[in-house]
Amino acid sequence: MYSPVEAKGVLGDAIGRATVSGSVSAGVGTGDTTIQVAGMGATHTFSPTFVVDGNVGFTRYAHTSLGPDLGKNIGLDVLGIPGTNGTDYRQSGFPIFTINGYEALGNVNNWSPIFRHDNSYTYVANAAWTKGAHNIRFGVDIARYHLNHWQPELGGRSPRGQFVFTGGVTALNGGAGPNQFNSYADLMLGLPQNMGKAYQYLAPMSTREWQDGLYFRDQWQATRNLTVTFGLRWEYFPLMTRAHTGIERYDPDTNTTLIGRAGGNPDGAGTTVSKKYFAPRGGIAYRWGANTVIRAGYGISNDPQFLASPIRDPFPETIVQDIQGANGFAAAGSLAAGLPPASFPDVSSGKIPVPGNILTKGLAAGEFRRGYIQSYNFVVQRQLPGNFAAQAAYVGTHTVRELGLYDINAGLVPGAGLAGAPLYAKFGRIARTQLYLPYGGAHYNSLQAKLDRRFSGGLLWIVSYTYAKSIDVFTDNGGNYLFYVPSQLPRNRAVSNFDRTHVFSMATVWDVPFGKGKHYLSSGLGGKVASGWQINTQMASYTGIPFNVSAADASLGAQFNTQFADQVKPTVTKLGGSGPRDPFYDTSAFARITDARFGNSGRNILRGPGAINLNAGLFRTFNMTEKYKLQFRAECFNFTNTPHFANPNANVSNSNFMWITSTQGSAGEDDQRVWRFALRFSF
């Protein structure tokens, strides 16, 4: 089956995507044979005691995104900042100016431009065997993923350059902490506290990765009322390679990068993987009387994270300058001097030194141990009088060895500045140096309840409620931890950023009772006009997500750690404001930090505003013939056009502290009312 080629355009940004996919499946049963090509004919139905089925698939994904400033060397020719743009047109455009307390200036999309060409290959084969009370199924699935990208964006830098103004340069060491006005003053002086640029040395950056699995499952009808299911899955995740080499690994003992399959190095450059990833799972279903079913299950799933995501672009795939000031009050350079030129290494030796101001990341030496997720649930389903059906469930997960980027060059001594960074003491290294490690863990526990009823007039009504809590070890959007100082490591663990305590939703689906075979207008012109309509609604109400109260970190003097504010009142009063000069929480409950220590407030101690949302849809199906159908769809998201406010500004050093100045849509989601119309043809 081949999907249509999709092309999309976005105002101010030329974006093109093309996806071509195909699959072929086949099945064989005792006494019968079935061959099916998806979308091209019917499937013969049979019930043999032994069935074999399989499919192969291929997907090609092509994506290009060109920023509106491409082709214009704004940083070099207009602003006159050396080192920003370059001879490669993909480095053209407006540099990023990040000013604490203000919106960033320039082309803030550090990921732009993008050139991607990715291929995926899959093969799945299964066999099912029914023997007495046992239904046994086993099989294999193999996947191969090719990634080919031009997208140098590591560490938040861009191919046009980035300059960050934290306010520390114009703040008084030992005085009040830097605020947004200090940041603006730093900008006016042209003195960033850190700066850098991302170069892509190898184009395209490529990854090649396999994921293989075998499984066995037995569904046993133990008694008339009891079904027991148990199974085992074995998975193998070979180490990722490049198109023509192995992976890169940073060696913290020598400050060098080892290149796999070069200079006599093995593909893993000293990293290995295990072949012992077994994942058992089991469950029971018990019918208690005529109206109640009890279900319970437990299973382990290995973390299937593609390494192509976290270690796609280490040095020298990309060469990312990470130039820091000597401490929180020192400039990293100046706009007048610009960015220093980058040097490009010879990788043929298989071992290359890493400059002190160049960011890198990768795997550690030895065995790379993937994490796993334990999932468990207990569910009671009950048929109630009045054609109601109810369900209550406990659902939980426990993630073991959750993966994240751990910076081994983060400052370990507050107030020491660069001198407190381990690799600065050894090699004069100042840049981020990250290892992708199974460092953390997470827990999710929830009560999930649902009630539904199907009415005789074609109306389905469903209401659900979830009470939940998720706790994890936090990493930011870049996968970095908040705290690295040993005494502060426990503070990384708290309520998850996405946690919502209460979620209530209600949905209806109504097939209107008009037209042929229905209660009303079953014939005539009125029946033809009114038949085939369906009305859908979905309402959701949920509590807000948590957030930290941060502070300027100039006085902290521990690079790559995060500074929190001091909480100076035992209780933080929620005021509920939603605009400028109308704070959401009491601002006097927190204070800035002016010395070399962490603030006493915790991670995710406050929650932002909740939201209520209503979506609606109107569908009609036209039965053109018995085989061909045409469906009209009109859908409205956020039908009431209700604003869903984002969390307030949570930096105590800024003048708009605790003000809500944006909606959730400002973060990349569609928050305003959106209408969508579509036609769907099926055959």
Side-chain angles (χ1 to χ4, degrees), residues 597-677:
R597 62 178 179 85
F598 290 96
N600 63 21
S601 62
R603 175 192 160 206
N604 284 344
I605 59 172
L606 301 178
R607 287 185 180 269
I612 297 178
N613 186 64
L614 176 64
N615 300 325
L618 180 64
F619 297 178
R620 184 179 181 182
T621 301
F622 299 89
N623 296 315
M624 304 171 66
T625 67
E626 184 178 349
K627 184 177 180 181
Y628 300 103
K629 295 182 180 181
L630 182 68
Q631 185 182 69
F632 164 78
R633 297 185 177 195
E635 298 170 290
C636 184
F637 303 93
N638 194 0
F639 184 79
T640 57
N641 205 26
T642 303
H644 305 140
F645 293 114
N647 286 347
N649 182 298
N651 190 321
V652 71
S653 303
N654 294 339
S655 62
N656 60 353
F657 177 51
M658 287 299 172
W659 296 2
I660 293 177
T661 57
S662 64
T663 62
Q664 293 177 14
S666 302
E669 305 172 8
D670 287 329
D671 183 65
Q672 69 277 12
R673 179 165 51 205
V674 175
W675 287 92
R676 185 170 67 185
F677 301 92

Side-chain angles (χ1 to χ4, degrees), residues 34 147 235 599:
T34 296
L147 175 151
E235 292 176 304

